[in-house]
Amino acid sequence: MNKILKIIYLSVLFPVALVNAQDQKGNERGEVTDAEFIIRKDRVLSLPKRPRNFERVPALPQPEGHSNFNYDVRDFFFDLAPTNSPLTPYQKKFLSNTDEAYHGLVRLGFGNYQSPLAELYLNNLESDYLNYGVYLKHQGFYEGPVDKENSAEDHTQIRLNANYFHEYFEVFGQLGYNRDRYHFYGYTPGLEVMADDIQQFFHTIYGQAGIRNIDKDEPFNYEVAIGARLFNDDYAAREHEINLSGKTSYYFNDETKAGVDVAAFLTSPSDATYADLNRNYVKFTPFVAYQNESFEVRAGANVILENDVYEGKDSDFHIFPTINASYNLQEEFAVYASYEGDVKRNTYYSFAMENPYLGPSDQLLNTIQKFRAEGGIKGSVSDAFTYKLGIAYGDYNNMHFFANGAQDSTRFQLMYNNGTVLNYTGTLGYSFGDFYHLTAEGNYYHYSLDDIDALMPGLDQTAVAWQRPNWEINVHNTFTPDEKWLIQAGLDMMGGIDVLNLQSDGNSFTTDTLNPIIDLNAKIDYKITDRFSVFAQGNNLLNQKNERFWNYQSRGIQGIGGLTFKF
């Protein structure tokens, strides 16, 4: 054992001494010293053996139990009635992020020209499956620009609507009545005329019912509706109509779909010069459409069957191609083009809504659009500006125009002619958040019509698009400074309206060109509370003597103010 300790001691001490010796001699840089190492291979290290115990561990004695345990299991039955403990889930009230719903709105107002306004919207509160409501409105101008009550007008609307929602479809319907009163006040100034002798009433009863699918994300979509309209004026004009319409489409994928639109009208008009006339119109439009991020196209055909009778008509059956396409060259710039032929449906009702001073009609004709081609550019910039510039050219048969009547110049009569229309168009939109919105549109029309000297002897000139404007400009602005204010302002202008009076002085008809129409209008709404607000609006703020139809001067500055209440 002592030998082992000596060896360990030497093995530790020797390296330390060697290091010290090197440090002492290392001062002499680069000097090599003599050293001697002794290695002994015959030394053997041995340890004594430890004794091992081979005896087993003795087993301990097992404890003996002192007694036996016996258990007696018995059943206990109790004659108790079962208890009923209904479980009610906890109802947590979640705060709604939507505005409070109101089921009614009343708007009342009054202005100059003895113009009361009363409007009522009434709907049921929110329902999972049924929605219904009623709309009532009356607005009158009981004095007008010419001899007060002789140029008065008023309008009344009543409409009922209902929608029933099933899991997969919606059933909808509406029923309404409109009454419009006008006066034929385009007589020579200074004449003594009674208001009752020149008044005109339009009565319209209409209804519609249909069904359509709810989930528009489904591959197959449909809508079918049937309706009717009964119309008559205060004289001899009557027009009854039954209509049927349907739309179907099927999406093959996110980019491609195909469909069919169908419309059918059975119309029975009568007037002072005709009765028991049946005008039928059926239109069938199959199409296929494709759209991706940069390209969009829709192509199909308009197949029409109509039974108007006029000289030179080739057939009651018409088929025209139709195609619309656009391509985005980049996000801010796209080109578009379209080509379409069609038969534009016209009725006495549509003519009367366009010109309420219409007199008896001799003939009702649809407009045959042989073709209309349009092309241009459109796009948006920074999601703020939108624009569209285009040019269109179309060829038409049976375009309708208006002229003061030959028997009574206060009432207009229909005229038809064939020709072409060149239309330059442009639109501009701008949005600055929710604060400001601008929409502006301009159109210029150039008509090239057939000569009608043979049809209108005494009119020694090339045919003109009577009572149609050559240009139109519309600018509308909407300001929303905050949630309480809504300010709207607009400027509507049109000009180049050539007019014709067929009441001859014995030598020739009278023609003229109306002054441009300039209508500056504005409307302001201020919300006092969530339920109560006030409004004011004004029309023709520049007090222009505008004439849209010859000898029918519009009202001057006309304003109205009132309040709105939700309940």
Side-chain angles (χ1 to χ4, degrees):
M1 187 67 181
N2 292 331
K3 294 180 179 180
I4 296 174
L5 295 175
K6 290 180 180 180
I7 294 172
I8 295 174
Y9 176 77
L10 292 174
S11 64
V12 173
L13 183 61
F14 177 76
V16 173
L18 181 60
V19 171
N20 291 332
Q22 290 177 351
D23 290 339
Q24 294 175 2
K25 297 181 179 181
N27 295 329
E28 299 178 5
R29 185 176 181 85
E31 183 179 357
V32 179
T33 61
D34 296 332
E36 183 179 354
F37 298 92
I38 300 173
I39 300 175
R40 296 185 62 179
K41 298 183 179 179
D42 56 347
R43 183 172 297 280
V44 177
L45 299 179
S46 61
L47 296 175
K49 295 182 179 181
R50 182 178 179 179
R52 183 177 181 184
N53 188 4
F54 290 95
E55 294 182 2
R56 294 182 178 181
V57 178
L60 299 176
Q62 296 293 330
E64 296 181 0
H66 298 284
S67 62
N68 296 325
F69 295 93
N70 296 321
Y71 298 92
D72 184 15
V73 180
R74 293 179 296 174
D75 297 328
F76 297 90
F77 297 97
F78 299 94
D79 188 12
L80 297 176
T83 60
N84 184 14
S85 300
L87 299 178
T88 303
Y90 172 69
Q91 300 291 334
K92 182 177 179 180
K93 294 183 178 180
F94 294 92
L95 297 178
S96 175
N97 294 326
T98 59
D99 297 334
E100 182 181 358
Y102 302 100
H103 67 81
L105 180 147
V106 174
R107 181 177 288 117
L108 300 174
F110 193 83
N112 60 333
Y113 290 100
Q114 296 294 318
S115 54
L117 170 65
E119 200 167 1
L120 171 67
Y121 296 86
L122 187 62
N123 279 79
N124 66 316
L125 292 177
E126 185 177 354
S127 173
D128 291 337
Y129 64 92
L130 182 63
N131 179 36
Y132 57 89
V134 59
Y135 172 68
L136 305 174
K137 180 180 180 181
H138 177 79
Q139 184 170 18
F141 302 92
Y142 292 103
E143 290 183 356
V146 177
D147 296 336
K148 294 185 177 181
E149 67 273 11
N150 282 15
S151 54
E153 66 178 85
D154 62 77
H155 311 276
T156 303
Q157 301 177 46
I158 302 174
R159 184 175 69 245
L160 307 174
N161 64 273
N163 301 75
Y164 175 78
F165 300 93
H166 191 265
E167 183 178 1
Y168 301 107
F169 61 85
E170 172 194 357
V171 179
F172 61 91
Q174 64 175 348
L175 179 65
Y177 168 73
N178 294 340
R179 195 203 74 155
D180 302 283
R181 182 172 71 107
Y182 298 91
H183 287 83
F184 295 106
Y185 64 92
Y187 50 81
T188 303
L191 292 179
E192 185 175 348
V193 180
M194 299 299 294
D196 292 342
D197 296 336
I198 58 174
Q199 72 178 357
Q200 167 71 294
F201 282 98
F202 293 147
H203 301 274
T204 308
I205 300 174
Y206 62 91
Q208 186 185 48
I211 184 173
R212 57 192 169 211
N213 68 306
I214 294 179
D215 190 357
K216 301 303 180 182
D217 293 331
E218 291 292 326
F220 180 71
N221 293 285
Y222 63 89
E223 179 177 334
V224 179
I226 185 172
R229 187 188 70 230
L230 307 177
F231 170 80
N232 67 275
D233 69 1
D234 210 29
Y235 295 88
R238 304 286 186 275
E239 190 171 68
H240 301 160
E241 175 183 286
I242 297 176
N243 59 79
L244 177 66
S245 62
K247 297 180 180 180
T248 61
S249 63
Y250 181 81
Y251 285 84
F252 298 97
N253 50 50
D254 293 339
E255 298 177 338
T256 308
K257 74 172 182 177
V260 177
D261 296 341
V262 179
F265 299 88
L266 306 177
T267 310
S268 178
S270 62
D271 209 336
T273 59
Y274 56 85
D276 300 327
L277 182 64
N278 293 317
R279 300 184 67 220
N280 303 324
Y281 179 98
V282 179
K283 183 177 180 180
F284 180 78
T285 306
F287 69 89
V288 61
Y290 174 81
Q291 180 179 3
N292 58 28
E293 294 182 355
S294 59
F295 180 67
E296 180 179 357
V297 63
R298 172 172 168 151
N302 289 326
V303 183
I304 300 106
L305 179 65
E306 50 84 28
N307 65 341
D308 282 350
V309 178
Y310 56 90
E311 184 178 356
K313 185 177 183 181
D314 296 329
S315 174
D316 291 343
F317 180 77
H318 312 269
I319 181 170
F320 301 101
T322 172
I323 183 170
N324 294 272
S326 64
Y327 181 70
N328 294 327
L329 299 176
Q330 52 185 335
E331 185 178 357
E332 298 83 7
F333 184 81
V335 294
Y336 73 93
S338 66
Y339 182 93
E340 182 177 11
D342 202 354
V343 176
K344 303 296 184 181
R345 183 170 174 268
N346 298 320
T347 63
Y348 188 88
Y349 174 82
S350 65
F351 291 139
M353 295 300 102
E354 181 181 352
N355 183 351
Y357 310 108
L358 183 64
S361 60
D362 294 328
Q363 191 176 24
L364 302 176
L365 296 177
N366 297 318
T367 299
I368 309 298
Q369 178 181 297
K370 297 179 179 179
F371 73 89
R372 183 179 186 272
E374 182 178 0
I377 59 175
K378 60 181 180 179
S380 62
V381 180
S382 302
D383 294 329
F385 286 96
T386 60
Y387 65 91
K388 181 178 180 181
L389 296 173
I391 181 172
Y393 181 80
D395 191 359
Y396 303 87
N397 284 348
N398 302 331
M399 281 189 291
H400 71 275
F401 307 96
F402 299 105
N404 296 75
Q407 303 299 324
D408 184 354
S409 63
T410 65
R411 306 184 187 190
F412 289 84
Q413 74 178 59
L414 285 165
M415 301 176 62
Y416 300 95
N417 204 347
N418 306 330
T420 61
V421 182
L422 179 64
N423 174 211
Y424 299 94
T425 182
T427 61
L428 174 66
Y430 174 72
S431 296
F432 184 73
D434 295 330
F435 174 76
Y436 175 68
H437 298 278
L438 164 71
T439 58
E441 181 177 4
N443 285 279
Y444 175 79
Y445 307 95
H446 177 73
Y447 294 88
S448 298
L449 304 179
D450 293 348
D451 191 1
I452 59 172
D453 288 348
L455 299 177
M456 304 296 300
L459 188 61
D460 189 17
Q461 64 179 47
T462 303
V464 178
W466 307 114
Q467 289 291 168
R468 293 202 182 192
N470 286 334
W471 58 268
E472 292 181 276
I473 297 176
N474 308 98
V475 181
H476 297 278
N477 304 270
T478 301
F479 304 87
T480 311
D482 55 43
E483 62 179 8
K484 291 183 176 295
W485 288 94
L486 176 62
I487 304 173
Q488 298 172 295
L491 179 63
D492 300 302
M493 300 183 294
M494 64 173 63
I497 303 175
D498 294 311
V499 293
L500 169 67
N501 190 340
L502 297 176
Q503 196 170 49
S504 175
D505 58 3
N507 296 319
S508 63
F509 302 121
T510 305
T511 62
D512 200 354
T513 300
L514 301 181
N515 294 326
I517 296 174
I518 303 175
D519 181 11
L520 178 64
N521 52 82
K523 181 179 180 181
I524 300 175
D525 288 89
Y526 179 72
K527 184 171 68 173
I528 300 175
T529 67
D530 289 339
R531 291 178 177 268
F532 185 76
S533 62
V534 294
F535 71 91
Q537 68 181 68
N539 297 305
N540 194 13
L541 297 178
L542 300 179
N543 198 28
Q544 297 292 301
K545 295 182 179 180
N546 296 322
E547 288 186 36
R548 176 60 184 89
F549 299 101
W550 200 8
N551 297 329
Y552 283 88
Q553 177 185 325
S554 67
R555 292 180 290 272
I557 297 178
Q558 197 276 319
I560 186 170
L563 56 88
T564 302
F565 179 72
K566 299 178 182 178
F567 60 91

